[in-house]
Amino acid sequence: MKKLAKKKLQRLPLIQDFDDIQARIKADRLLAARLQEEERETFIVKERAKFLYDTIAAQRRFLAQQRAAAIRSRTP
């Protein structure tokens, strides 16, 4: 009985270290997930901005073409 209690006392620091390591792993996993989400969000914002810029540029080109066609089709 004393041997069993002694073995448990010897294993206690190992168990505590294991628990600490598991807690750190979980915290690191949560941090990594949060950072990845922030990175995805930043990418999405940049992607949206580029899409908006491209859309506005295409609209400007289209309107310029329409104006040029209207000017060319006028009678002198």
Side-chain angles (χ1 to χ4, degrees), residues 2 13-14 17 20-21 25 31 35 40 45 50 52-54 57 59 66-67 70 72 76:
K2 288 183 179 183
L14 292 175
D17 288 343
D20 290 343
I21 291 170
I25 289 172
L31 176 64
L35 291 175
R40 272 189 232 116
V45 169
K50 184 181 181 319
L52 183 62
Y53 175 80
D54 292 344
Q59 286 176 343
Q66 281 187 332
R67 279 192 301 265
R72 283 193 303 266

Side-chain angles (χ1 to χ4, degrees), residues 39-55:
E39 187 174 332
R40 272 189 232 116
E41 188 174 311
T42 301
F43 178 73
I44 289 172
V45 169
K46 288 180 182 178
E47 193 175 78
R48 285 181 186 169
K50 184 181 181 319
F51 176 75
L52 183 62
Y53 175 80
D54 292 344
T55 303

Side-chain angles (χ1 to χ4, degrees), residues 4-5 9-11 13-15 22 24 30 32-33 35 37 39 42 46 56 60 63-64 67-68 73 76:
L4 185 61
L9 285 177
Q10 288 175 346
R11 291 183 189 165
L14 292 175
I15 293 170
Q22 291 299 319
R24 286 183 196 155
L30 292 173
L35 291 175
E37 182 64 31
E39 187 174 332
T42 301
K46 288 180 182 178
I56 291 171
R60 285 183 180 169
L63 291 174
R67 279 192 301 265
S73 67

